[in-house]
């Protein structure tokens, strides 16, 4: 069995599982309780906050707010910037066409409230151009939100440059860094980031954990009312075992970034080279400015869903677009944003490999995908028309 869907979720690390189990068993006090039992849990919570802060280059643990995951962090960041902007009469937001739905759907909600949203193009290579961010900023812009790494095509955005532009213009800059944190080097200071979202289960931590980095001076707006937890900015008893496990997973991931990169990148490139040999196929997103583990291809004349199911039969777990869009008939908004037409976008495959991948796995993936694509084309009416010259090849 080859698990090649790490962008959907990752397996928890042993260290994360161990600390989670031990805390569930022994440190179950409520961190808000004053007796020793509670204070032990509180210590674990605050130590985790320090570890998370330093993993992303923040020197102030008070800048870390624990959430239930990336989606909540994205929602809270956007609502905060919107409310702060609104108070100053600024109701324009800049984002991109290929954000995660946690961003896009929140932006839709804000549009209904009267905010104006500019969605930037991401071009054929899946990369935002900083000069276009610069040109889009207006007097009434209250927020720029651009994801660090796209979850489908893995492209890395020029976050540092965009952050510098926002700093200069005095506009809050948020990044959904869910696919970046723990996978590439992320530093909120060097990268000029005001707010950053991350999710535990994307870097070998538990599901239902995440955090929002908020630069000192930005007053967060609550999404959840009720108690004084998280400095009054998020009510609810903290998920101490989950948070501690996330912190351990993040610390380990950041400590082994170089090793991860040097192991996974060559295997990624081996798979890309192999799949490129399939006729009428094309990689999605920039060839080199992508995270170590991401491979995303379109194959003309087939359906991504059938490809997935047949790969599953061969023991390969992959994805066709993001986990959130599978089950819907619309092709991925990300692939449409980079200019793939509907028919081609439907035949997409995302492989997101992890550090346990081997060269033998890579060769098995290449052979299996090649075989399945050929098999599916064998009875595809679209392929027959393409071969008969009744339709034009696009790829
Ligand atoms: C997974 C993901 C999210 C959502 O994170 P959850 O913790 O699952 O809520 C948000 N943004 C991106 C880019 C993601 O990949």
């Amino acid at each position: 069995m080859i698990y090649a869907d790490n962008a959907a979720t990752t397996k928890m690390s042993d260290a994360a599982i161990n600390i989670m189990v031990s805390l569930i068993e022994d440190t179950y006090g409520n961190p808000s309780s004053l007796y020793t039992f509670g204070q032990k849990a509180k210590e674990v919570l605050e130590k985790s906050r320090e570890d998370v802060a330093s993993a992303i280059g923040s020197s102030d643990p008070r800048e870390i707010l624990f959430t239930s995951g990336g989606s909540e962090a994205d929602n809270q960041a956007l609502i905060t910037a919107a409310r702060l902007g609104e108070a100053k009469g600024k109701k324009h937001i800049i984002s991109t066409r290929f954000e995660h739905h946690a961003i896009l759907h929140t932006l839709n909600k804000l549009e209904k409230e009267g905010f104006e949203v500019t969605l930037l193009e991401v071009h054929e290579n899946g990369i935002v151009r900083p000069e276009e961010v610069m040109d889009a900023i207006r007097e009434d812009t209250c927020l720029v939100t651009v994801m660090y790494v796209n979850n489908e095509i893995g492209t890395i955005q020029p976050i540092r440059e965009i952050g510098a532009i926002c700093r200069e213009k005095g506009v809050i800059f948020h990044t959904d860094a869910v696919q970046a944190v723990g996978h590439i080097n992320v530093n909120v200071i060097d990268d000029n980031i005001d707010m950053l979202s991350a999710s535990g289960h994307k870097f070998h931590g538990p599901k239902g954990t995440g955090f929002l980095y908020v630069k000192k001076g930005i007053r967060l707006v609550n999404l959840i009312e009720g108690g004084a937890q998280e400095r009054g900015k998020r009510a609810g008893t903290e998920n101490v075992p989950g948070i501690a496990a996330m912190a351990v997973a993040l610390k380990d991931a950041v400590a082994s970034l170089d090793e991860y990169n040097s192991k996974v990148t060559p295997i990624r490139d081996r798979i890309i080279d192999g799949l490129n040999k399939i006729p009428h196929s094309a990689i999605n997103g920039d060839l080199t400015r992508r995270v170590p583990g991401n491979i995303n291809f379109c194959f003309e004349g087939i359906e991504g869903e059938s490809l997935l199911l047949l790969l599953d039969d061969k023991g390969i777990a992959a994805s066709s677009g993001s986990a959130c869009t599978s089950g819907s008939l619309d092709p991925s908004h990300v692939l449409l944003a980079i200019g793939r037409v509907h028919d081609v976008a439907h035949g997409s495959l995302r492989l997101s490999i992890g550090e346990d991948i081997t060269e033998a796995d890579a060769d098995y993936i290449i052979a299996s995908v090649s075989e399945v694509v050929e098999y599916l084309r064998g009875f595809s009416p679209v392929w027959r028309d393409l071969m008969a010259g009744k339709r034009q090849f696009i790829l």
Side-chain angles (χ1 to χ4, degrees):
M1 181 75 198
I2 300 174
Y3 183 72
D5 204 13
N6 285 277
T9 197
T10 57
K11 180 183 195 286
M12 277 179 70
S13 68
D14 290 343
I17 294 173
N18 291 341
I19 193 163
M20 195 157 176
V21 170
S22 92
L23 289 169
I24 288 169
E25 284 176 346
D26 304 323
T27 316
Y28 51 83
N30 188 320
S32 299
S33 302
L34 294 178
Y35 42 75
T36 312
F37 237 69
Q39 289 309 297
K40 274 179 89 170
K42 175 90 180 162
E43 264 170 43
V44 171
L45 183 65
E46 296 316 321
K47 173 69 171 62
S48 303
R49 202 183 303 280
E50 283 167 26
D51 288 346
V52 167
S54 69
I56 57 162
S58 157
S59 55
D60 188 350
R62 288 173 303 181
E63 293 179 321
I64 303 298
L65 174 99
F66 291 123
T67 67
S68 65
S71 301
E72 185 188 331
D74 282 343
N75 273 256
Q76 191 158 6
L78 267 52
I79 298 297
T80 291
R83 297 292 166 252
L84 294 173
E86 199 168 32
K88 295 184 194 157
K90 297 183 172 190
K91 296 184 74 171
H92 176 236
I93 298 172
I94 298 168
S95 187
T96 77
R97 281 181 64 195
F98 75 166
E99 296 296 311
H100 190 271
H101 286 124
I103 297 288
L104 292 176
H105 290 179
T106 307
L107 291 175
N108 284 343
K109 196 163 86 173
L110 290 168
E111 270 181 319
K112 291 200 184 95
E113 283 183 24
F115 281 82
E116 201 185 319
V117 176
T118 300
L119 293 184
L120 299 173
E121 292 298 329
V122 294
H123 308 283
E124 230 174 280
N125 62 352
I127 295 177
V128 177
R129 297 183 185 158
E131 62 273 23
E132 294 183 359
V133 176
M134 174 79 107
D135 291 345
I137 293 178
R138 314 190 311 209
E139 279 296 303
D140 62 342
T141 305
C142 61
L143 169 70
V144 171
T145 175
V146 175
M147 70 198 317
Y148 210 125
V149 168
N150 182 271
N151 47 306
E152 290 187 36
I153 58 175
T155 49
I156 303 170
Q157 306 306 309
I159 291 303
R160 192 166 296 189
E161 291 83 344
I162 297 171
I165 291 167
C166 295
R167 241 339 106 82
E168 187 196 315
K169 297 275 185 180
V171 177
I172 291 180
F173 177 48
H174 167 258
T175 184
D176 173 339
V178 170
Q179 295 287 343
V181 169
H183 296 271
I184 56 173
N185 190 31
V186 171
N187 184 299
V188 290
I189 306 298
D190 296 346
D191 293 343
N192 306 303
I193 294 166
D194 295 318
M195 291 198 274
L196 170 148
S197 307
S199 169
H201 76 100
K202 303 290 175 72
F203 51 73
H204 304 289
K207 292 163 188 60
T209 65
F211 64 89
L212 178 62
Y213 160 83
V214 191
K215 192 178 162 61
K216 202 159 74 194
I218 297 176
R219 237 183 115 78
L220 271 180
V221 171
N222 291 41
L223 298 183
I224 305 174
E225 307 290 344
Q229 294 91 351
E230 299 298 291
R231 302 163 62 80
K233 299 304 177 192
R234 182 186 190 268
T237 305
E238 301 87 343
N239 172 10
V240 177
I243 288 168
M246 168 173 70
V248 166
L250 180 56
K251 211 172 154 179
D252 289 349
V254 168
S256 57
L257 273 182
D258 288 344
E259 198 187 325
Y260 167 72
N261 187 22
S262 56
K263 166 147 195 227
V264 176
T265 304
I267 297 184
R268 174 198 74 189
D269 293 341
R270 186 186 183 98
I271 297 175
I272 290 175
D273 286 345
L275 297 185
N276 256 329
K277 297 202 173 81
I278 298 176
H280 304 287
S281 68
I283 188 162
N284 294 311
D286 198 278
L287 194 55
T288 54
R289 291 160 76 186
R290 62 199 301 132
V291 278
N294 179 287
I295 298 135
N296 191 314
F297 266 78
C298 279
F299 304 103
E300 204 159 1
I302 62 158
E303 286 288 334
E305 303 282 284
S306 333
L307 179 55
L308 277 197
L309 295 175
L310 291 173
L311 287 177
D312 187 33
D313 285 344
K314 291 182 174 292
I316 300 170
S319 152
S320 178
S322 78
C324 323
T325 51
S326 57
S328 98
L329 286 174
D330 291 334
S332 141
H333 70 289
V334 174
L335 298 179
L336 296 179
I338 61 168
R340 294 286 181 223
V341 298
H342 276 237
D343 279 355
V344 168
H346 272 302
S348 77
L349 174 71
R350 178 186 71 187
L351 297 157
S352 41
I353 55 176
E355 43 276 279
D356 52 351
I357 194 91
T358 64
E359 282 189 359
D361 293 339
D363 294 341
Y364 179 71
I365 289 174
I366 296 165
S368 303
V369 174
S370 308
E371 188 186 318
V372 171
V373 168
E374 194 177 322
Y375 170 76
L376 287 171
R377 282 174 173 172
F379 51 85
S380 152
V382 174
W383 184 254
R384 198 179 50 219
D385 287 354
L386 286 164
M387 294 307 279
K390 291 186 194 152
R391 284 168 88 116
Q392 295 293 311
F393 278 108
I394 295 163
L395 302 182

